[in-house]
Amino acid sequence: MKLKYNYRKLLSIIAIIAIWELLCDIGYINIKILPSPYVVLLTLYKLIISGSILIDMLTSLWRVIVGFLIAVFLGGITGYFTATNEKTRDFLIPIIEILRPIPPVAFIPLSILWFGIGNAPAFFLVAFGSFFPIYTNTFYGIKSVNKIHIDAALCLGASHKQLVFDVIIPAAMPFITVGLKTGIGVAWFCVIAAELVGAQSGLGYMIQLNRLTLQSENVIAGMVMIGVIGFLMSKMMVLIQKKLVPWSNRTL
Amino acid sequence: MVKFELINISKSFVKNDNKCKNETLILNDISLKINSGTFVSILGPSGCGKSTLLSIMAGFIPPSKGEIKFNDIPVIEPKPSRVVIFQDYGLFDWKTVQGNVEFGLKAKNIPKLKRKEIAQYYIDLVHLKGSENKYPHELSGGMKQRAAIARAIAIEPECLLMDEPFGALDSQTRNILQDEILEIWKKTQNTIVLVTHDEDEAVFLSDRIIVLSNSPANVIIDEDINLERPRFTEIRLRKDFIEKKNNLWQSLRK
């Protein structure tokens, strides 16, 4: 039953690619702007063999990791303190709510002005974009900690440290991991957007450069790579989630 | 020796509806002395404020008026010398049974190996051997409450405060756990204060029963239960047991 289901899912993908290939072969599609799947695959293979796309990939990944870790740090801290301290909440929430509705890509021009071209604007954009989902989920996670758990911990003699690290944070973890999962998706989106204009390396830069030189097969090969990496990153977050929340039988 | 002393305890909650302050009196001038090593039940209709009284005894909330002392020292905050057992268990979902039982031991700074050993002893005592590595969501209600009991008694508290601990369980499991809590109490010899609305449970377990009236709660009955110990479930069929139970039943429904 399951096999049949997976086979059906695969079928639609195969059908699309087959139609695409066919339309290119009979000359219905201008292969200058949309090369055939076969050409794309061949190009991707060549780019991998030569290693050039791998370098772009690693560059983008590095930017995502650094920016994302900054966001985890800042989002976690802000989420924790706004949830537990009323003064911090009143002070910080207005700032956060003013910045939140501005899409991270709207910060690209400013980030280039501030940080120039290269890693720095990408770090900034990634951190800025993934901050919000991480912050929000940490905030609600800590807000939703059941009072009975706090009471139980206190009457068992828990110290402040034990209360924070053994009760509040693990209790909030199902929410926090949702924030991390959303955050990594936003981070990947932001790094590609940043590289389209504010960098001279990375996968975003690579597809932009190939557009200028009219090598659409390279553009699509780069896009395939971006898709694959994005997919793998979200799969990896599911594994991390299982590791951080081994006690939850829910899959979020 | 007096363990708990409540002197003229009153508690009211302030509600703010539509700009006008509404003060509701929950507990009205309750004075009690509870002796060390006794099993005392606080019985009352649901919603009468008996859980509030237990929260005050635990130190979770302060009384509005009056004074409360434990071992002659004023109660101002929760302390591991009086551990609460909750109706909803209060187990840490992110910890295994073992981790839950070790929590209070960790707070006492007991070294890891020793902690494991002590936890194992209490897990065996509540008949949870083999479930050490299970998470709470993998346990039945009865097993969860057993784990919560093990976690509480592992730190050897002087007093156990039980807030309708068997209220969420089916009657068979409840009876089994009632027997077990008496067994445990015989070994630990600590003071137990049990809040319940079940007169059968109160008579079966207690040395003394305190009946609270409907809100604002006040002590209307305070009587000793002189049934001999050890008590087994057959005692429920005895005439004097049924009589005591019926008397309480009637006083609760006045």
Side-chain angles (χ1 to χ4, degrees):
Chain A
M1 204 58 197
K2 196 167 177 204
L3 199 74
K4 202 175 169 187
Y5 182 64
N6 281 336
Y7 166 74
R8 272 213 318 259
K9 274 205 269 191
L10 214 60
L11 200 68
S12 62
I13 298 171
I14 293 170
I16 288 282
I17 292 175
I19 293 169
W20 174 9
E21 181 69 51
L22 193 75
L23 292 178
C24 289
D25 292 348
I26 61 170
Y28 188 78
I29 289 176
N30 177 359
I31 55 166
K32 282 262 170 356
I33 55 170
L34 183 58
S36 75
Y38 174 72
V39 174
V40 170
L41 211 65
L42 200 68
T43 312
L44 188 61
Y45 176 73
K46 279 185 199 154
L47 288 170
I48 291 171
I49 289 296
S50 77
S52 77
I53 204 168
L54 297 179
I55 292 167
D56 284 325
M57 179 192 88
L58 289 175
T59 311
S60 298
L61 275 179
W62 170 245
R63 289 171 180 156
V64 159
I65 290 166
V66 173
F68 183 71
L69 288 180
I70 295 172
V72 169
F73 179 75
L74 292 178
I77 298 262
T78 331
Y80 178 81
F81 285 104
T82 47
T84 51
N85 184 305
E86 209 169 326
K87 278 181 192 152
T88 319
R89 171 155 71 244
D90 291 344
F91 183 72
L92 285 178
I93 283 192
I95 306 174
I96 292 167
E97 292 310 321
I98 285 172
L99 291 175
R100 189 203 294 277
I102 305 174
V105 286
F107 271 90
I108 291 179
L110 261 188
S111 66
I112 294 173
L113 268 180
W114 290 347
F115 304 110
I117 298 281
N119 280 340
F123 292 159
F124 171 77
L125 279 181
V126 169
F128 181 84
S130 48
F131 170 85
F132 294 101
I134 295 169
Y135 157 77
T136 309
N137 283 286
T138 307
F139 176 85
Y140 284 113
I142 286 168
K143 274 271 166 205
S144 69
V145 175
N146 200 335
K147 182 149 190 313
I148 195 176
H149 288 141
I150 307 273
D151 281 348
L154 288 175
C155 74
L156 289 165
S159 62
H160 185 70
K161 192 182 142 208
Q162 209 183 356
L163 193 64
V164 173
F165 291 99
D166 257 4
V167 180
I168 295 176
I169 293 178
M173 206 42 95
F175 281 81
I176 296 174
T177 51
V178 170
L180 296 179
K181 219 168 123 186
T182 319
I184 199 78
V186 176
W188 190 234
F189 167 85
C190 286
V191 81
I192 301 301
E195 287 170 353
L196 286 175
V197 283
Q200 283 181 328
S201 53
L203 288 170
Y205 172 74
M206 178 253 177
I207 60 173
Q208 179 74 329
L209 184 72
N210 282 296
R211 176 188 69 90
L212 296 173
T213 56
L214 293 176
Q215 289 172 286
S216 54
E217 67 279 9
N218 285 11
V219 175
I220 297 176
M223 287 169 67
V224 169
M225 199 69 183
I226 291 168
V228 169
I229 304 288
F231 175 78
L232 290 178
M233 279 198 307
S234 91
K235 282 279 167 225
M236 202 184 67
M237 281 323 279
V238 174
L239 291 180
I240 290 179
Q241 186 175 27
K242 280 196 181 135
K243 196 94 196 150
L244 287 174
V245 194
W247 44 278
S248 175
N249 49 356
R250 288 163 289 181
T251 38
L252 297 156
Chain B
M1 202 188 108
V2 177
K3 192 99 286 207
F4 259 117
E5 192 173 4
L6 285 72
I7 309 156
N8 307 110
I9 293 285
S10 294
K11 181 72 188 175
S12 45
F13 287 110
V14 180
K15 252 196 210 162
N16 281 316
D17 337 314
N18 303 332
K19 287 172 200 163
C20 80
K21 264 193 182 176
N22 232 331
E23 209 174 306
T24 326
L25 189 64
I26 305 287
L27 303 173
N28 184 21
D29 197 27
I30 293 176
S31 294
L32 279 179
K33 277 182 189 172
I34 292 173
N35 285 335
S36 181
T38 50
F39 199 129
V40 178
S41 286
I42 298 174
L43 190 64
S46 5
C48 79
K50 51 195 192 297
S51 291
T52 308
L53 185 64
L54 200 79
S55 289
I56 291 173
M57 292 168 86
F60 295 149
I61 52 172
S64 306
K65 273 183 213 153
E67 215 184 330
I68 172 162
K69 287 178 184 168
F70 182 73
N71 288 338
D72 255 342
I73 300 161
V75 170
I76 42 166
E77 57 182 2
K79 278 268 158 70
S81 49
R82 21 188 172 89
V83 181
V84 179
I85 291 180
F86 304 89
Q87 180 174 7
D88 301 326
Y89 324 116
L91 289 174
F92 304 128
D93 303 316
W94 49 94
K95 285 180 182 288
T96 57
V97 170
Q98 179 91 26
N100 267 283
V101 178
E102 283 187 27
F103 185 89
L105 303 168
K106 204 172 156 190
K108 276 174 130 182
N109 289 322
I110 294 170
K112 209 170 176 179
L113 273 176
K114 186 81 189 152
R115 221 153 68 200
K116 214 174 162 188
E117 200 180 297
I118 299 173
Q120 197 57 59
Y121 171 79
Y122 285 98
I123 288 168
D124 290 353
L125 191 68
V126 298
H127 309 296
L128 275 184
K129 205 184 170 97
S131 299
E132 295 86 349
N133 297 321
K134 285 192 177 145
Y135 286 99
H137 74 83
E138 300 171 289
L139 303 176
S140 68
M143 289 164 90
K144 281 182 193 169
Q145 198 55 288
R146 286 195 164 102
I149 291 168
R151 180 175 74 174
I153 58 178
I155 57 171
E156 299 176 348
E158 293 167 46
C159 175
L160 279 181
L161 301 168
M162 307 178 112
D163 190 2
E164 308 224 15
F166 313 129
L169 306 174
D170 62 86
S171 61
Q172 258 172 322
T173 313
R174 189 175 353 176
N175 286 350
I176 293 168
L177 276 173
Q178 284 165 351
D179 289 340
E180 285 181 13
I181 202 76
L182 286 181
E183 281 291 307
I184 289 166
W185 180 56
K186 212 167 81 187
K187 281 182 192 145
T188 55
Q189 301 278 314
N190 48 16
T191 313
I192 297 184
V193 180
L194 170 87
V195 157
T196 180
H197 64 263
D198 180 350
E199 56 278 354
D200 176 85
E201 179 168 281
V203 177
F204 181 68
L205 296 174
S206 321
D207 294 323
R208 179 182 166 198
I209 295 179
I210 293 154
V211 180
L212 298 183
S213 62
N214 220 332
S215 49
N218 205 332
V219 178
I220 48 170
I221 295 175
D222 186 345
E223 69 163 322
D224 291 337
I225 301 295
N226 298 316
L227 300 168
E228 77 283 358
R229 294 189 189 269
R231 293 176 194 167
F232 302 103
T233 198
E234 293 75 32
I235 204 172
R236 290 189 162 94
L237 302 171
R238 256 170 47 183
K239 227 175 172 182
D240 48 350
F241 185 94
I242 294 167
E243 199 179 314
K244 277 193 179 13
K245 205 173 105 173
N246 283 342
N247 288 344
L248 288 169
W249 190 84
Q250 264 158 16
S251 66
L252 275 175
R253 272 143 197 88
K254 256 176 208 163

